[in-house]
Amino acid sequence: MSDKLPQDKKQYPPTGEPRETFEGHGFDDDRLQRVHAQLMREKEEPSESFSPTPLFLVFVFMILAFWAGVYMVWYGGEFSAFHYDETKSAVVAEDTGPREIDMMALGRRVYAQNCQVCHQASGDGQRGVYPPVARADWVQDNPERLIKVVLHGLEGRVEVNGNAYNNAMQAFGRLNDQQVAAVLTYIRTDPDFGNDSYPVREELVAEVRSEYDGRRNAWTQPELEDIHGPVTGEWSPPEGEEPEEEPDPAS
Ligand code: HEC
């Protein structure tokens, strides 16, 4: 229709002409359409009203609620606290018995917390003050002597690797048997300390502890030599008491 109109009438109302009405005019088809077009351009006024929730949404909601109920019955575990334990995996773990303690790791920790201040992280001690535990003849000698030193302390003149010391080491009786065994095993076998000896058993610590139960004073070198002989830096376990396997230096 619009392309039939002359160019200047394409825009309605055409420039310069008054707005058309039906008044005083006959119904001619072209004009009727133009008036209609004029009306149709106007949008309906928005008005406040109410419309009910669409029925299909009500159904969707009911289906969801039903599904939620079914889901809870299936997976809710009867809402019992026993059905939830975040520390457990769904697979029942095999019972492997008591966990084996890593003596070297324990020993390293006991050493760092109790012995390092004097004997140093390197184990070299301090010249003339604290004897070395690294590459030390005492450490590679009889373990019972070492257990006594740790449990009750050591004082007076001692000779370690041919160097004399005259100081005092406090008692570490508060460490338990396992900790004493671990720290001695650590200094005797860890490659960082350059000692190549045997591990110390927890039971041996328990034996020495009960044998000298109630002892308050620290040991002296002559006293220990009376029991265990002079320190040589060589020691092997008695017949039948060798450990089954060499300690694994990597662990
Ligand atoms: C307060 C400092 C100090 C601490 C802490 C200490 N020691 Fe000692 N330790 C000494 C002294 C000093 C001697 C020598 C004692 C003497 O001169 O009579 C010694 C001697 C020793 C000896 C025998 C000599 C040698 O060097 O081989 C061993 C083994 C030993 N200590 C192990 C330990 C262990 C294991 C610990 C930790 C549980 C420990 N010490 C904690 C100061 C200390």
Side-chain angles (χ1 to χ4, degrees):
M1 176 201 101
S2 60
D3 37 35
K4 279 193 201 138
L5 289 165
Q7 194 58 40
D8 62 331
K9 300 219 166 167
K10 275 194 176 168
Q11 188 191 340
Y12 193 85
T15 25
E17 283 184 28
R19 217 175 152 89
E20 280 184 87
T21 66
F22 292 119
E23 274 162 58
H25 298 281
F27 284 96
D28 102 42
D29 192 45
D30 187 39
R31 283 184 55 237
L32 179 65
Q33 296 224 22
R34 269 190 268 163
V35 171
H36 253 164
Q38 185 182 317
L39 288 171
M40 296 288 278
R41 272 201 303 275
E42 312 267 342
K43 285 268 151 62
E44 212 185 317
E45 281 290 315
S47 65
E48 213 175 313
S49 69
F50 170 82
S51 64
T53 312
L55 253 192
F56 90 93
L57 272 186
V58 175
F59 278 115
V60 166
F61 177 77
M62 281 163 66
I63 290 165
L64 270 177
F66 179 74
W67 172 78
V70 170
Y71 188 92
M72 278 201 282
V73 169
W74 276 353
Y75 299 110
E78 293 156 355
F79 294 96
S80 157
F82 295 108
H83 289 259
Y84 180 68
D85 183 351
E86 77 273 31
T87 63
K88 278 199 186 128
S89 65
V91 187
V92 177
E94 240 176 86
D95 187 4
T96 50
R99 211 171 82 77
E100 211 169 283
I101 296 233
D102 183 346
M103 290 297 265
M104 291 300 270
L106 177 64
R108 181 174 292 121
R109 207 176 66 220
V110 173
Y111 184 84
Q113 288 171 350
N114 300 282
C115 324
Q116 195 166 308
V117 275
C118 298
H119 294 287
Q120 308 298 306
S122 63
D124 291 332
Q126 207 170 319
R127 199 162 239 295
V129 187
Y130 304 121
V133 291
R135 293 164 290 277
D137 49 4
W138 277 62
V139 174
Q140 299 179 72
D141 209 283
N142 191 324
E144 280 183 55
R145 190 196 318 254
L146 302 178
I147 294 169
K148 285 169 183 159
V149 168
V150 173
L151 287 183
H152 308 112
L154 182 67
E155 62 185 14
R157 192 185 180 282
V158 300
E159 206 172 280
V160 181
N161 288 351
N163 298 315
Y165 298 84
N166 197 343
N167 202 337
M169 170 174 155
Q170 80 224 57
F172 283 90
R174 62 183 162 81
L175 295 177
N176 66 28
D177 297 343
Q178 187 178 54
Q179 289 169 321
V180 173
V183 73
L184 290 177
T185 298
Y186 171 63
I187 63 174
R188 279 160 69 88
T189 63
D190 192 279
D192 284 353
F193 288 147
N195 295 319
D196 183 18
S197 192
Y198 293 85
V200 176
R201 288 175 305 112
E202 200 180 320
E203 299 79 51
L204 189 62
V205 179
E207 278 169 33
V208 174
R209 194 194 291 270
S210 70
E211 190 180 345
Y212 293 93
D213 188 30
R215 185 186 168 105
R216 290 281 164 269
N217 48 333
W219 297 91
T220 61
Q221 177 161 358
E223 214 181 338
L224 288 169
E225 278 180 353
D226 284 346
I227 306 170
H228 302 293
V231 176
T232 60
E234 292 288 334
W235 181 83
S236 311
E239 281 296 316
E241 276 188 34
E242 293 95 346
E244 279 139 39
E245 42 172 2
E246 279 287 286
D248 183 6
S251 64

